[in-house]
Every structure is written in structure tokens, then in C-alpha cells.
Amino acid sequence: MICAHRGGGVNNPENSMKAFKACVYEYDVQILETDLWLTKDNQLVVSHDDSMNRTSDVEEVMGSDEEYLIEDHTLEELKQFNLGYNFEKDGNYPYRDIITDENRRLEILKENDLTIITFDELFSQFYDDHKELLFIVEIKNPGEKGYIAADIINDLLTNKYPDYINRIVVGTFHDEISEYMSNTYPYILRGASTGDATKFIVTQLLKVNIFENQTFACLQLPEKQMGINLKWRTYIRRAHRKNIAVQYWTINDEKVMRELIEKDADAIMTDNPLLLKQVLDSYK
């Protein structure tokens, strides 16, 4: 499967609705991957970073390079910035000058699908006509904010988007959030935590089986970890015997894509879903 990492930041501004729409409507992507942060007013928004600085024009608008943290600002405040401002393609910045009238800033950004979006908005965009879509999301906030993020995800799935409840995998680098998800919302599929993934690698090397009572649905692995090559068919086969999917991140090289396809990886997370689509089409 093609998994668009951050919606595919090579092809379009990452984590923008523009990017997600291209993935679904143009590239036939099966899985959308993204990260989630909680705003000051407890809105769950789509962003990899904890601030708006790298991806938007916040520094130009605010006249300061101070970190503009998501958790310190409301959704309304965050919506004012252009997610395409720093997107570069072929040496150009195609969305840098789209604000031609500051009085219409928000309207222009919405027209171009370049405002920060909530997780609710992401689901809403595709729910009616793409029930087959899959999602991988990572809760980035630790502690209490991470618990609130988990609660919001559950509320959206159970009350607004029930057809997606078995089509999403929730992951986190925070073991306490992973445990909270497992204990509080056991019906929501989880990705292996960092601890789970590390145990998988170590026990594979030691030939010890730890998967008798696993509570996760998939392993999301890099090419290498701790200096160990993880692109082994034995890893994939071992996980498959326990009905665990194996997904690799973040793969932008065609040669590595082909290697993983031929070793029966279940999904490849890439910043360049258009390239991966072309690679897969070549096999047909």
C-alpha cells in the first residue's frame, strides 16, 4: 500500500488539505499518515512540528523568528498562516505570493487549501465518498494533553465517523499514551510503541518470541535502527505469522521502495507518493 507521509511533502505542502486531496483524488493513495497536536483551545490539529515556523509564513507575518507553538495558540489564530509559504518545487516557491489582499487572507488560504486543518476536517473531507481510506496518525503531545487527544480521536470515531473506526491505526512515541489507548479504547487499532518495536528487533535477533499477547496491529519500522538493517524478510514473515502488518518509513528512494515491495512489506510511508505510485504501476 501507498502511505502518504504527512500527506506527501515532496509533491505538495505537507499536512495541507491540498496535499491530502491530491493523494486521494490524483495518486490513488490508500493510507494517509499524519501527526496530531492539541491547540490552546483543545482543538486537535494536523501538524508534524509543535510550531508553525518551518512550514508557514508565521515569521514574516509576526515579524519574529520566535517559535509560534501550536499548544500556545487557538485554532483561529493558527488558521491565519500560509502552509504553502515555504514549500519549494523545482527551485520555486509557488504559494509564497498567493496573499494578494491581507483583508482576504483567511479566505484566500481556504480557497487554496493551505490553512492548518483539524483532524475532524480531514475525516470530513473524505468520509462520504472514500469509506475505504485508511489512516495512520501519531499523537505528539505527552501526558495530559496526549490523553485529551486520544479522547478526541475516540469521540470523532464513535460519534461522527464510525465507518473509520477499524480503518485507523493510532501510534505515539509516548509509552504512557500508548498504554492509555490500549486500556481505555482497546477497540482502536494501535501501532507498536517505540518500546514494542525495540523489543521486536531485539527478540528477533535473540530468537525469542514476545508476540503471544501483543496488543498492536502493525509495526512501523525505519530502514535501520541501532545500526541494524531492518529490511529483512524474516522480520516481515515473523510479524505476518501473528497477523501484524509491517510498514516502513520514510522511504523516498526508488531502489529501496522496490526492495521492500519484493520482500512483501505491507505499506511504504513516503514523502513522495507520486513516485511510489509510478513504481507500483511499473510492476503491473
Side-chain angles (χ1 to χ4, degrees), residues 22 28 70 75 108 117-118 178 180 183 210 228 249-250 266 271:
D28 298 322
I70 289 172
L75 178 62
I108 293 170
I117 59 173
T118 65
S178 184
Y180 179 77
N183 293 335
I210 64 160
I228 301 169
W249 55 269
T250 303
D266 298 290
D271 295 314

Side-chain angles (χ1 to χ4, degrees), residues 9 233 236:
R233 184 175 272 111
I236 298 170

Side-chain angles (χ1 to χ4, degrees), residues 99-131:
I99 308 298
T100 55
D101 182 352
E102 282 295 335
N103 293 323
R104 296 184 60 247
R105 166 175 279 270
L106 183 57
E107 183 181 350
I108 293 170
L109 292 176
K110 286 182 177 179
E111 288 172 354
N112 286 272
D113 289 321
L114 289 174
T115 65
I116 196 170
I117 59 173
T118 65
F119 194 44
D120 189 357
E121 288 173 320
L122 180 63
F123 271 177
S124 178
Q125 176 63 43
F126 303 111
Y127 190 68
D128 289 339
D129 54 3
H130 283 83
K131 293 288 203 304

Side-chain angles (χ1 to χ4, degrees), residues 223 231 250-262 268-283:
E223 290 184 68
K231 303 191 301 295
T250 303
I251 311 301
N252 298 322
D253 179 81
E254 179 177 344
K255 181 179 178 181
V256 180
M257 289 176 178
R258 292 185 181 276
E259 180 183 1
L260 291 171
I261 290 167
E262 291 162 13
I268 293 174
M269 301 184 196
T270 178
D271 295 314
N272 195 342
L274 181 57
L275 172 62
L276 181 52
K277 175 178 170 25
Q278 292 166 348
V279 170
L280 286 167
D281 286 346
S282 75
Y283 282 88

